[in-house]
Amino acid sequence: MLVSQPRTFPLPSIQRLPVYLRFLKEQRDRGEMVVSCTKIAEEFGQLSVQVRKDLSITGIIGRPKVGYKIGELIEAIEDFLGWNTKTSACLVGSGSLGKAILGYDGFVEHGLDIHCAFDIDPKVIGTTIHGRPVYDIAEIAKIGEQQNFVIGILTVPAAAAQRAANALLEVGVKAIWNYTPSRLELPQGIICEDVKLSASFAVLSSRMKNGPLQEENY
Amino acid sequence: MLVSQPRTFPLPSIQRLPVYLRFLKEQRDRGEMVVSCTKIAEEFGQLSVQVRKDLSITGIIGRPKVGYKIGELIEAIEDFLGWNTKTSACLVGSGSLGKAILGYDGFVEHGLDIHCAFDIDPKVIGTTIHGRPVYDIAEIAKIGEQQNFVIGILTVPAAAAQRAANALLEVGVKAIWNYTPSRLELPQGIICEDVKLSASFAVLSSRMKNGPLQEENY
DNA sequence: AATGAAACGAGAAAAAATTATCGATAAGAA
DNA sequence: TTCTTATCGATAATTTTTTCTCGTTTCATT
């Protein structure tokens, strides 16, 4: 009897997958061949049922008494997230935050391939940051024609966010990873994910001010 | 009849407060005196009831048909989060991510007062980044005695995360804002908030790969 | 004044996520 | 081979969060 997969997956589960993934790679590199939900849960102070539910969204199946083959599990997670295929991206705004993202090589592991950066500052245009050329934002249309950017990373000052987003839409990006605190107006169908550093700090602050809320979720 | 406040507040509500706060300050600076949940909800494509519930955790009370006085509301949110009093902090790891955080002045609005940075690299020790001195991490105990750091911001490479966290504990920080992907072992009572950039990217990736999940929450 | 509309607060209902439970299966020990 | 135990997958219960509903308050209009 066929059981259809749910069309939609729990957001918290998706958010926890990268944490597991990192741990799994650590274990693999130590020579481990299998891993159980119990072990993962122990590592993160969680319940094993939750880990099992989280992993199940990737379609992986394990063996009772043993667990999952680490290699398979890593592949299942990466496949679910689309992290085992390269996605071409560009970054707009090569200020300090932009530089930080270009400098962080962890995203390469997630298939993110940032070809280049764009900026308006003549002082940085023409230079390279961590091996990536910085172009004039005015040239984004021309360069976007040759290189097909799928994701645009937004690291401009808040005031320039919408303008930069529009430029990204022009070159046909499917998704915007928005590091600015601005709300973007985007057409239907464009995926936008906001990085809310202030939300993270709010949780920290609130815990200091109002005491612990609930247990931390990884 | 007295009704006791819930000891614990919904995490999602807390995470949405900074988004509202930003909007409220924009409105205030435009000269608006009052704002309703309906208006806020419209701005973010949410339901007004949710906004109202979120705001209610701060203890604010509004007036029917009118809404909330913007000034009062801003104060209530900032007070709830403890953002209207300065909290002294230091940053460990003045690499590109550390520089980005030192350079972002939005956190000043949240009461975060980053006095200085620490590093191990002799090339940056002794310099200043965005007006903050960079000290040798070996001196953290000495400097921590004079300046009482409450929050430690961790922006070192993953491999150095635990060591740096230990150094922060030595100087008595109450909370750690962890930008590294490492799980930290910390004593009971120390507050730790992890910034999970990979989780954010996982949501983006998953939406591209598996289609939209549910509506975006601000 | 009386009426109507907008918005609040509180509580109920619905949806989503977490946690608990249970039968099945595989590995290892007796 | 049989028994015990660890772990899986599935389903049920619980908890948390979101959404709905409704009565009340306030302002604006008649």
PDB file of all heavy atoms in Angstrom, chain B residues 94-128:
ATOM      1  N   SER B  94      38.578  38.326  15.897  1.00  0.00           N
ATOM      2  CA  SER B  94      38.349  39.490  15.044  1.00  0.00           C
ATOM      3  C   SER B  94      38.651  39.186  13.581  1.00  0.00           C
ATOM      4  O   SER B  94      39.273  39.980  12.886  1.00  0.00           O
ATOM      5  CB  SER B  94      39.175  40.673  15.538  1.00  0.00           C
ATOM      6  OG  SER B  94      40.545  40.375  15.440  1.00  0.00           O
ATOM      7  N   GLY B  95      38.197  38.042  13.136  1.00  0.00           N
ATOM      8  CA  GLY B  95      38.281  37.722  11.713  1.00  0.00           C
ATOM      9  C   GLY B  95      37.227  38.489  10.948  1.00  0.00           C
ATOM     10  O   GLY B  95      36.687  39.472  11.455  1.00  0.00           O
ATOM     11  N   SER B  96      36.902  38.027   9.757  1.00  0.00           N
ATOM     12  CA  SER B  96      35.968  38.811   8.937  1.00  0.00           C
ATOM     13  C   SER B  96      34.588  38.902   9.577  1.00  0.00           C
ATOM     14  O   SER B  96      33.960  39.958   9.530  1.00  0.00           O
ATOM     15  CB  SER B  96      35.893  38.245   7.517  1.00  0.00           C
ATOM     16  OG  SER B  96      35.729  36.850   7.528  1.00  0.00           O
ATOM     17  N   LEU B  97      34.146  37.808  10.205  1.00  0.00           N
ATOM     18  CA  LEU B  97      32.830  37.864  10.839  1.00  0.00           C
ATOM     19  C   LEU B  97      32.847  38.794  12.051  1.00  0.00           C
ATOM     20  O   LEU B  97      31.927  39.596  12.247  1.00  0.00           O
ATOM     21  CB  LEU B  97      32.389  36.453  11.266  1.00  0.00           C
ATOM     22  CG  LEU B  97      30.985  36.338  11.838  1.00  0.00           C
ATOM     23  CD1 LEU B  97      29.948  36.912  10.891  1.00  0.00           C
ATOM     24  CD2 LEU B  97      30.668  34.882  12.161  1.00  0.00           C
ATOM     25  N   GLY B  98      33.898  38.707  12.836  1.00  0.00           N
ATOM     26  CA  GLY B  98      34.034  39.592  13.987  1.00  0.00           C
ATOM     27  C   GLY B  98      34.033  41.050  13.560  1.00  0.00           C
ATOM     28  O   GLY B  98      33.347  41.884  14.159  1.00  0.00           O
ATOM     29  N   LYS B  99      34.793  41.332  12.507  1.00  0.00           N
ATOM     30  CA  LYS B  99      34.829  42.712  11.986  1.00  0.00           C
ATOM     31  C   LYS B  99      33.442  43.164  11.575  1.00  0.00           C
ATOM     32  O   LYS B  99      33.051  44.310  11.820  1.00  0.00           O
ATOM     33  CB  LYS B  99      35.756  42.780  10.765  1.00  0.00           C
ATOM     34  CG  LYS B  99      37.230  42.787  11.090  1.00  0.00           C
ATOM     35  CD  LYS B  99      38.021  43.366   9.893  1.00  0.00           C
ATOM     36  CE  LYS B  99      39.496  43.032   9.999  1.00  0.00           C
ATOM     37  NZ  LYS B  99      39.785  41.630   9.556  1.00  0.00           N
ATOM     38  N   ALA B 100      32.708  42.268  10.930  1.00  0.00           N
ATOM     39  CA  ALA B 100      31.366  42.622  10.462  1.00  0.00           C
ATOM     40  C   ALA B 100      30.475  43.019  11.634  1.00  0.00           C
ATOM     41  O   ALA B 100      29.717  43.987  11.553  1.00  0.00           O
ATOM     42  CB  ALA B 100      30.750  41.463   9.695  1.00  0.00           C
ATOM     43  N   ILE B 101      30.579  42.279  12.716  1.00  0.00           N
ATOM     44  CA  ILE B 101      29.738  42.572  13.873  1.00  0.00           C
ATOM     45  C   ILE B 101      30.163  43.874  14.541  1.00  0.00           C
ATOM     46  O   ILE B 101      29.331  44.690  14.933  1.00  0.00           O
ATOM     47  CB  ILE B 101      29.760  41.394  14.863  1.00  0.00           C
ATOM     48  CG1 ILE B 101      29.011  40.226  14.220  1.00  0.00           C
ATOM     49  CG2 ILE B 101      29.149  41.766  16.200  1.00  0.00           C
ATOM     50  CD1 ILE B 101      29.252  38.914  14.873  1.00  0.00           C
ATOM     51  N   LEU B 102      31.473  44.075  14.630  1.00  0.00           N
ATOM     52  CA  LEU B 102      31.954  45.332  15.195  1.00  0.00           C
ATOM     53  C   LEU B 102      31.525  46.511  14.322  1.00  0.00           C
ATOM     54  O   LEU B 102      31.304  47.618  14.818  1.00  0.00           O
ATOM     55  CB  LEU B 102      33.482  45.305  15.314  1.00  0.00           C
ATOM     56  CG  LEU B 102      34.044  44.351  16.372  1.00  0.00           C
ATOM     57  CD1 LEU B 102      35.553  44.187  16.207  1.00  0.00           C
ATOM     58  CD2 LEU B 102      33.717  44.846  17.773  1.00  0.00           C
ATOM     59  N   GLY B 103      31.402  46.251  13.032  1.00  0.00           N
ATOM     60  CA  GLY B 103      31.070  47.329  12.107  1.00  0.00           C
ATOM     61  C   GLY B 103      29.590  47.633  12.024  1.00  0.00           C
ATOM     62  O   GLY B 103      29.181  48.710  11.590  1.00  0.00           O
ATOM     63  N   TYR B 104      28.767  46.695  12.443  1.00  0.00           N
ATOM     64  CA  TYR B 104      27.324  46.903  12.344  1.00  0.00           C
ATOM     65  C   TYR B 104      26.846  47.689  13.550  1.00  0.00           C
ATOM     66  O   TYR B 104      26.892  47.221  14.678  1.00  0.00           O
ATOM     67  CB  TYR B 104      26.609  45.552  12.261  1.00  0.00           C
ATOM     68  CG  TYR B 104      25.104  45.671  12.181  1.00  0.00           C
ATOM     69  CD1 TYR B 104      24.509  46.396  11.160  1.00  0.00           C
ATOM     70  CD2 TYR B 104      24.278  45.074  13.126  1.00  0.00           C
ATOM     71  CE1 TYR B 104      23.137  46.526  11.068  1.00  0.00           C
ATOM     72  CE2 TYR B 104      22.900  45.191  13.048  1.00  0.00           C
ATOM     73  CZ  TYR B 104      22.335  45.917  12.026  1.00  0.00           C
ATOM     74  OH  TYR B 104      20.978  46.042  11.950  1.00  0.00           O
ATOM     75  N   ASP B 105      26.362  48.877  13.321  1.00  0.00           N
ATOM     76  CA  ASP B 105      25.995  49.723  14.451  1.00  0.00           C
ATOM     77  C   ASP B 105      24.547  49.530  14.888  1.00  0.00           C
ATOM     78  O   ASP B 105      24.082  50.167  15.822  1.00  0.00           O
ATOM     79  CB  ASP B 105      26.284  51.199  14.159  1.00  0.00           C
ATOM     80  CG  ASP B 105      25.904  51.593  12.752  1.00  0.00           C
ATOM     81  OD1 ASP B 105      26.160  50.787  11.836  1.00  0.00           O
ATOM     82  OD2 ASP B 105      25.352  52.678  12.542  1.00  0.00           O
ATOM     83  N   GLY B 106      23.842  48.610  14.232  1.00  0.00           N
ATOM     84  CA  GLY B 106      22.468  48.341  14.642  1.00  0.00           C
ATOM     85  C   GLY B 106      22.357  47.795  16.052  1.00  0.00           C
ATOM     86  O   GLY B 106      21.386  48.035  16.751  1.00  0.00           O
ATOM     87  N   PHE B 107      23.387  47.086  16.487  1.00  0.00           N
ATOM     88  CA  PHE B 107      23.310  46.460  17.814  1.00  0.00           C
ATOM     89  C   PHE B 107      23.393  47.472  18.946  1.00  0.00           C
ATOM     90  O   PHE B 107      22.967  47.188  20.068  1.00  0.00           O
ATOM     91  CB  PHE B 107      24.403  45.399  17.974  1.00  0.00           C
ATOM     92  CG  PHE B 107      24.255  44.256  17.014  1.00  0.00           C
ATOM     93  CD1 PHE B 107      25.346  43.717  16.356  1.00  0.00           C
ATOM     94  CD2 PHE B 107      23.003  43.704  16.758  1.00  0.00           C
ATOM     95  CE1 PHE B 107      25.197  42.661  15.465  1.00  0.00           C
ATOM     96  CE2 PHE B 107      22.850  42.651  15.865  1.00  0.00           C
ATOM     97  CZ  PHE B 107      23.953  42.124  15.219  1.00  0.00           C
ATOM     98  N   VAL B 108      23.963  48.624  18.660  1.00  0.00           N
ATOM     99  CA  VAL B 108      24.002  49.690  19.661  1.00  0.00           C
ATOM    100  C   VAL B 108      22.574  50.027  20.098  1.00  0.00           C
ATOM    101  O   VAL B 108      22.305  50.251  21.271  1.00  0.00           O
ATOM    102  CB  VAL B 108      24.697  50.959  19.099  1.00  0.00           C
ATOM    103  CG1 VAL B 108      24.677  52.075  20.131  1.00  0.00           C
ATOM    104  CG2 VAL B 108      26.115  50.635  18.674  1.00  0.00           C
ATOM    105  N   GLU B 109      21.664  49.999  19.139  1.00  0.00           N
ATOM    106  CA  GLU B 109      20.236  50.248  19.400  1.00  0.00           C
ATOM    107  C   GLU B 109      19.638  49.206  20.338  1.00  0.00           C
ATOM    108  O   GLU B 109      18.553  49.382  20.857  1.00  0.00           O
ATOM    109  CB  GLU B 109      19.462  50.190  18.079  1.00  0.00           C
ATOM    110  CG  GLU B 109      19.789  51.278  17.103  1.00  0.00           C
ATOM    111  CD  GLU B 109      18.678  52.311  17.026  1.00  0.00           C
ATOM    112  OE1 GLU B 109      17.511  51.915  17.073  1.00  0.00           O
ATOM    113  OE2 GLU B 109      19.005  53.508  16.971  1.00  0.00           O
ATOM    114  N   HIS B 110      20.311  48.086  20.455  1.00  0.00           N
ATOM    115  CA  HIS B 110      19.810  47.020  21.326  1.00  0.00           C
ATOM    116  C   HIS B 110      20.526  47.020  22.673  1.00  0.00           C
ATOM    117  O   HIS B 110      20.449  46.048  23.414  1.00  0.00           O
ATOM    118  CB  HIS B 110      19.967  45.664  20.646  1.00  0.00           C
ATOM    119  CG  HIS B 110      19.329  45.593  19.285  1.00  0.00           C
ATOM    120  ND1 HIS B 110      19.605  44.604  18.397  1.00  0.00           N
ATOM    121  CD2 HIS B 110      18.442  46.407  18.673  1.00  0.00           C
ATOM    122  CE1 HIS B 110      18.905  44.804  17.282  1.00  0.00           C
ATOM    123  NE2 HIS B 110      18.198  45.890  17.435  1.00  0.00           N
ATOM    124  N   GLY B 111      21.250  48.084  22.915  1.00  0.00           N
ATOM    125  CA  GLY B 111      21.937  48.213  24.192  1.00  0.00           C
ATOM    126  C   GLY B 111      23.253  47.465  24.271  1.00  0.00           C
ATOM    127  O   GLY B 111      23.894  47.427  25.318  1.00  0.00           O
ATOM    128  N   LEU B 112      23.631  46.879  23.156  1.00  0.00           N
ATOM    129  CA  LEU B 112      24.856  46.085  23.172  1.00  0.00           C
ATOM    130  C   LEU B 112      26.071  47.009  23.055  1.00  0.00           C
ATOM    131  O   LEU B 112      26.211  47.736  22.079  1.00  0.00           O
ATOM    132  CB  LEU B 112      24.839  45.084  22.010  1.00  0.00           C
ATOM    133  CG  LEU B 112      25.942  44.030  22.008  1.00  0.00           C
ATOM    134  CD1 LEU B 112      25.825  43.125  23.223  1.00  0.00           C
ATOM    135  CD2 LEU B 112      25.878  43.205  20.729  1.00  0.00           C
ATOM    136  N   ASP B 113      26.914  46.956  24.052  1.00  0.00           N
ATOM    137  CA  ASP B 113      28.060  47.854  24.109  1.00  0.00           C
ATOM    138  C   ASP B 113      29.343  47.017  24.046  1.00  0.00           C
ATOM    139  O   ASP B 113      29.848  46.550  25.071  1.00  0.00           O
ATOM    140  CB  ASP B 113      27.988  48.646  25.427  1.00  0.00           C
ATOM    141  CG  ASP B 113      29.028  49.746  25.488  1.00  0.00           C
ATOM    142  OD1 ASP B 113      29.628  50.048  24.433  1.00  0.00           O
ATOM    143  OD2 ASP B 113      29.243  50.279  26.581  1.00  0.00           O
ATOM    144  N   ILE B 114      29.847  46.838  22.833  1.00  0.00           N
ATOM    145  CA  ILE B 114      31.039  46.006  22.650  1.00  0.00           C
ATOM    146  C   ILE B 114      32.287  46.855  22.918  1.00  0.00           C
ATOM    147  O   ILE B 114      32.651  47.700  22.110  1.00  0.00           O
ATOM    148  CB  ILE B 114      31.096  45.411  21.223  1.00  0.00           C
ATOM    149  CG1 ILE B 114      29.746  44.764  20.872  1.00  0.00           C
ATOM    150  CG2 ILE B 114      32.224  44.391  21.114  1.00  0.00           C
ATOM    151  CD1 ILE B 114      29.653  44.240  19.447  1.00  0.00           C
ATOM    152  N   HIS B 115      32.912  46.611  24.053  1.00  0.00           N
ATOM    153  CA  HIS B 115      34.043  47.436  24.455  1.00  0.00           C
ATOM    154  C   HIS B 115      35.285  47.184  23.631  1.00  0.00           C
ATOM    155  O   HIS B 115      36.016  48.098  23.290  1.00  0.00           O
ATOM    156  CB  HIS B 115      34.378  47.179  25.935  1.00  0.00           C
ATOM    157  CG  HIS B 115      33.370  47.726  26.863  1.00  0.00           C
ATOM    158  ND1 HIS B 115      33.087  47.153  28.075  1.00  0.00           N
ATOM    159  CD2 HIS B 115      32.545  48.796  26.751  1.00  0.00           C
ATOM    160  CE1 HIS B 115      32.141  47.849  28.678  1.00  0.00           C
ATOM    161  NE2 HIS B 115      31.800  48.840  27.894  1.00  0.00           N
ATOM    162  N   CYS B 116      35.545  45.908  23.346  1.00  0.00           N
ATOM    163  CA  CYS B 116      36.798  45.573  22.691  1.00  0.00           C
ATOM    164  C   CYS B 116      36.726  44.185  22.088  1.00  0.00           C
ATOM    165  O   CYS B 116      35.747  43.463  22.286  1.00  0.00           O
ATOM    166  CB  CYS B 116      37.951  45.622  23.694  1.00  0.00           C
ATOM    167  SG  CYS B 116      37.706  44.468  25.064  1.00  0.00           S
ATOM    168  N   ALA B 117      37.760  43.836  21.351  1.00  0.00           N
ATOM    169  CA  ALA B 117      37.838  42.503  20.769  1.00  0.00           C
ATOM    170  C   ALA B 117      39.119  41.827  21.243  1.00  0.00           C
ATOM    171  O   ALA B 117      40.072  42.493  21.665  1.00  0.00           O
ATOM    172  CB  ALA B 117      37.824  42.600  19.245  1.00  0.00           C
ATOM    173  N   PHE B 118      39.097  40.494  21.186  1.00  0.00           N
ATOM    174  CA  PHE B 118      40.303  39.717  21.513  1.00  0.00           C
ATOM    175  C   PHE B 118      40.650  38.814  20.338  1.00  0.00           C
ATOM    176  O   PHE B 118      39.762  38.348  19.615  1.00  0.00           O
ATOM    177  CB  PHE B 118      40.067  38.869  22.761  1.00  0.00           C
ATOM    178  CG  PHE B 118      39.836  39.676  24.008  1.00  0.00           C
ATOM    179  CD1 PHE B 118      38.553  39.971  24.445  1.00  0.00           C
ATOM    180  CD2 PHE B 118      40.919  40.164  24.727  1.00  0.00           C
ATOM    181  CE1 PHE B 118      38.339  40.726  25.591  1.00  0.00           C
ATOM    182  CE2 PHE B 118      40.718  40.918  25.882  1.00  0.00           C
ATOM    183  CZ  PHE B 118      39.430  41.199  26.310  1.00  0.00           C
ATOM    184  N   ASP B 119      41.951  38.585  20.182  1.00  0.00           N
ATOM    185  CA  ASP B 119      42.379  37.723  19.076  1.00  0.00           C
ATOM    186  C   ASP B 119      43.721  37.093  19.454  1.00  0.00           C
ATOM    187  O   ASP B 119      44.326  37.449  20.473  1.00  0.00           O
ATOM    188  CB  ASP B 119      42.500  38.550  17.787  1.00  0.00           C
ATOM    189  CG  ASP B 119      42.242  37.688  16.556  1.00  0.00           C
ATOM    190  OD1 ASP B 119      43.000  36.717  16.336  1.00  0.00           O
ATOM    191  OD2 ASP B 119      41.278  37.980  15.826  1.00  0.00           O
ATOM    192  N   ILE B 120      44.157  36.126  18.644  1.00  0.00           N
ATOM    193  CA  ILE B 120      45.482  35.564  18.883  1.00  0.00           C
ATOM    194  C   ILE B 120      46.494  36.020  17.834  1.00  0.00           C
ATOM    195  O   ILE B 120      47.685  35.821  17.991  1.00  0.00           O
ATOM    196  CB  ILE B 120      45.479  34.009  18.856  1.00  0.00           C
ATOM    197  CG1 ILE B 120      44.638  33.490  17.691  1.00  0.00           C
ATOM    198  CG2 ILE B 120      45.039  33.432  20.180  1.00  0.00           C
ATOM    199  CD1 ILE B 120      44.952  32.063  17.330  1.00  0.00           C
ATOM    200  N   ASP B 121      45.978  36.642  16.781  1.00  0.00           N
ATOM    201  CA  ASP B 121      46.845  37.017  15.675  1.00  0.00           C
ATOM    202  C   ASP B 121      47.635  38.295  15.996  1.00  0.00           C
ATOM    203  O   ASP B 121      47.052  39.365  16.156  1.00  0.00           O
ATOM    204  CB  ASP B 121      45.980  37.241  14.429  1.00  0.00           C
ATOM    205  CG  ASP B 121      46.801  37.576  13.204  1.00  0.00           C
ATOM    206  OD1 ASP B 121      48.043  37.695  13.326  1.00  0.00           O
ATOM    207  OD2 ASP B 121      46.199  37.722  12.122  1.00  0.00           O
ATOM    208  N   PRO B 122      48.977  38.179  16.089  1.00  0.00           N
ATOM    209  CA  PRO B 122      49.791  39.350  16.433  1.00  0.00           C
ATOM    210  C   PRO B 122      49.598  40.509  15.453  1.00  0.00           C
ATOM    211  O   PRO B 122      49.789  41.669  15.813  1.00  0.00           O
ATOM    212  CB  PRO B 122      51.237  38.823  16.332  1.00  0.00           C
ATOM    213  CG  PRO B 122      51.128  37.340  16.407  1.00  0.00           C
ATOM    214  CD  PRO B 122      49.802  36.971  15.849  1.00  0.00           C
ATOM    215  N   LYS B 123      49.210  40.187  14.253  1.00  0.00           N
ATOM    216  CA  LYS B 123      49.039  41.247  13.245  1.00  0.00           C
ATOM    217  C   LYS B 123      47.876  42.177  13.563  1.00  0.00           C
ATOM    218  O   LYS B 123      47.888  43.338  13.172  1.00  0.00           O
ATOM    219  CB  LYS B 123      48.818  40.636  11.855  1.00  0.00           C
ATOM    220  CG  LYS B 123      50.122  40.130  11.230  1.00  0.00           C
ATOM    221  CD  LYS B 123      49.991  39.897   9.732  1.00  0.00           C
ATOM    222  CE  LYS B 123      49.122  38.708   9.391  1.00  0.00           C
ATOM    223  NZ  LYS B 123      49.704  37.408   9.766  1.00  0.00           N
ATOM    224  N   VAL B 124      46.848  41.663  14.241  1.00  0.00           N
ATOM    225  CA  VAL B 124      45.710  42.538  14.556  1.00  0.00           C
ATOM    226  C   VAL B 124      45.734  43.042  15.996  1.00  0.00           C
ATOM    227  O   VAL B 124      45.132  44.065  16.313  1.00  0.00           O
ATOM    228  CB  VAL B 124      44.343  41.853  14.294  1.00  0.00           C
ATOM    229  CG1 VAL B 124      44.120  41.642  12.807  1.00  0.00           C
ATOM    230  CG2 VAL B 124      44.223  40.552  15.054  1.00  0.00           C
ATOM    231  N   ILE B 125      46.453  42.328  16.866  1.00  0.00           N
ATOM    232  CA  ILE B 125      46.538  42.763  18.259  1.00  0.00           C
ATOM    233  C   ILE B 125      47.199  44.138  18.310  1.00  0.00           C
ATOM    234  O   ILE B 125      48.229  44.357  17.681  1.00  0.00           O
ATOM    235  CB  ILE B 125      47.335  41.752  19.110  1.00  0.00           C
ATOM    236  CG1 ILE B 125      46.552  40.436  19.207  1.00  0.00           C
ATOM    237  CG2 ILE B 125      47.635  42.309  20.503  1.00  0.00           C
ATOM    238  CD1 ILE B 125      47.359  39.284  19.775  1.00  0.00           C
ATOM    239  N   GLY B 126      46.575  45.042  19.029  1.00  0.00           N
ATOM    240  CA  GLY B 126      47.102  46.398  19.109  1.00  0.00           C
ATOM    241  C   GLY B 126      46.433  47.357  18.144  1.00  0.00           C
ATOM    242  O   GLY B 126      46.510  48.566  18.315  1.00  0.00           O
ATOM    243  N   THR B 127      45.767  46.827  17.148  1.00  0.00           N
ATOM    244  CA  THR B 127      45.047  47.702  16.220  1.00  0.00           C
ATOM    245  C   THR B 127      43.666  48.016  16.782  1.00  0.00           C
ATOM    246  O   THR B 127      43.282  47.504  17.830  1.00  0.00           O
ATOM    247  CB  THR B 127      44.868  47.035  14.836  1.00  0.00           C
ATOM    248  OG1 THR B 127      43.986  45.909  14.962  1.00  0.00           O
ATOM    249  CG2 THR B 127      46.211  46.570  14.283  1.00  0.00           C
ATOM    250  N   THR B 128      42.927  48.854  16.076  1.00  0.00           N
ATOM    251  CA  THR B 128      41.528  49.075  16.443  1.00  0.00           C
ATOM    252  C   THR B 128      40.650  48.748  15.242  1.00  0.00           C
ATOM    253  O   THR B 128      41.038  48.971  14.096  1.00  0.00           O
ATOM    254  CB  THR B 128      41.248  50.531  16.873  1.00  0.00           C
ATOM    255  OG1 THR B 128      41.483  51.393  15.769  1.00  0.00           O
ATOM    256  CG2 THR B 128      42.123  50.944  18.044  1.00  0.00           C
TER     257      THR B 128
END
